[in-house]
Amino acid sequence: MDRYILASQSPRRRELLHMVLSEYEVIPARGEETVNSTDPAEAVKELSFQKAMEVSRIVKPCEGDRIIVIGADTVVAADGRILGKPADRADAARMIGRLQGREHHVYTGVTVCCVQQSKDIRHFSFYEETAVDVYPMNRGEIEGYISLQEPYDKAGAYGIQGAFSVFIRGIRGDYNNVVGLPVARLYHEMASRGLL
């Protein structure tokens, strides 16, 4: 029997994963994340790997069962520089100021680990990239947006699915990737490996 675990506390990822799996548990990774790469694609793969492996090491499968752990991480990059979650209001204003009126890229890394009773952990990782084009914003629009709660728990200081949606001119790629989990790619990657 297969048991699925999402190694993330993101409510957006929980919602998106229901498109792929009808039932799964949530065991958020709690460890300190470290990134050695400044390349956004490599950084999100590293972060997703750390999350998935942390949870994979603590689960205990029963004989004949498989535990499949999914870790994911998302970053926003402008001019190749990673923008994480804003530290405060000034940081959020700086990030939105940098994104407004131009295109940036959103990267989500995903690692899937398969744990069996032998404690042999097999895994694979991938990333998805989506280009997002933002309308020009004036100072009042930026201040209005950062006065909301929305920007502060999101990479790049915005949520495409929330109030910021009125500033999105268009995207090239997977919308769900920008929200936090590229569900179509995840489905096909898992299905091709017999994990669904």
Side-chain angles (χ1 to χ4, degrees), residues 74-141:
T74 302
V75 300
V76 170
D79 300 321
R81 291 190 58 199
I82 295 171
L83 305 178
K85 295 176 184 175
D88 53 30
R89 186 182 173 97
D91 199 26
R94 181 186 60 77
M95 287 185 189
I96 298 298
R98 193 156 180 202
L99 300 177
Q100 66 84 27
R102 55 190 304 233
E103 183 181 88
H104 64 275
H105 296 261
V106 179
Y107 298 80
T108 298
V110 179
T111 296
V112 178
C113 293
C114 181
V115 187
Q116 293 181 288
Q117 197 177 25
S118 65
K119 280 310 233 177
D120 176 37
I121 301 174
R122 292 181 294 119
H123 75 277
F124 67 91
S125 299
F126 65 88
Y127 77 92
E128 194 69 30
E129 177 184 356
T130 303
V132 180
D133 190 20
V134 180
Y135 278 106
M137 297 170 70
N138 62 40
R139 171 53 71 191
E141 288 169 329

Side-chain angles (χ1 to χ4, degrees), residues 2 4 20-21 66 68 186-196:
D2 289 341
Y4 296 94
V20 179
L21 300 167
R66 296 188 303 184
I68 296 144
L186 177 61
Y187 172 84
H188 288 282
E189 294 279 356
M190 290 178 69
S192 69
R193 292 169 170 85
L195 297 176
L196 291 175

